[in-house]
Amino acid sequence: MSLNFDLHRWTRDWTAACPLPRLERLRGVAVLLPDNAQVALFRLADDSIRAIGNIDPIGRAAVMSRGIVGDRNGFPTVQSPLKKQAFSLIDGRCLDVEGVRIPVYDTRIGLDGTVFVANSPEIRFGYRPDGFTATLPDAS
């Protein structure tokens, strides 16, 4: 059995955000992805890493990384700093307004402690949808 690992494909799917020690617990940081999408990255109290879209779907501003991290019934949430709606960091549901969602991005920590964020909400570690093509901006 041979394993073929395509490093180029992997780098198209994931963006290195920062070293894990640079993330403060219960604080968010904004990460810019190659397609100019913004992600809010959070280190929770249990040292797990979560990422959601940085654009507040109700207030329409890039502020979610400055939201208040907490929990509801044991599930991690972030509250928008604009109108204080809470969003699940697990599945992106707005817990205060029915039918509103925010994209959730997969995260992982490399062997060297680098935090990576998926370049699309459709990408999960070990899974890539059929027909999905991520592109990086031309480096020239």
Side-chain angles (χ1 to χ4, degrees), residues 8-15 117-120 123 128 132 134:
H8 185 64
R9 180 178 129 183
W10 194 88
T11 57
R12 285 191 320 260
D13 290 348
W14 297 87
T15 294
V117 179
N119 287 339
S120 167
I123 296 172
R128 186 180 216 229
F132 180 82

Side-chain angles (χ1 to χ4, degrees), residues 17-109:
C18 64
L20 179 61
R22 302 264 325 256
L23 292 175
E24 293 182 43
R25 285 182 182 89
L26 305 179
R27 294 283 178 117
V29 298
V31 177
L32 186 63
L33 299 180
D35 66 354
N36 291 323
Q38 294 183 37
V39 173
L41 184 65
F42 300 95
R43 181 178 181 181
L44 304 182
D46 65 358
D47 284 332
S48 64
I49 306 295
R50 300 289 178 173
I52 60 171
N54 195 37
I55 307 294
D56 179 340
I58 295 171
R60 304 274 186 220
V63 296
M64 294 306 294
S65 62
R66 292 183 269 151
I68 301 164
V69 177
D71 72 80
R72 278 210 191 156
N73 301 323
F75 295 101
T77 62
V78 63
Q79 277 188 292
S80 169
L82 294 178
K83 298 188 179 187
K84 307 299 185 246
Q85 290 90 1
F87 293 87
S88 168
L89 290 172
I90 303 286
D91 63 8
R93 287 179 302 125
C94 180
L95 304 176
D96 299 319
V97 179
E98 187 72 30
V100 176
R101 297 184 91 77
I102 197 164
V104 176
Y105 292 79
D106 206 14
T107 61
R108 62 170 297 153
I109 301 172

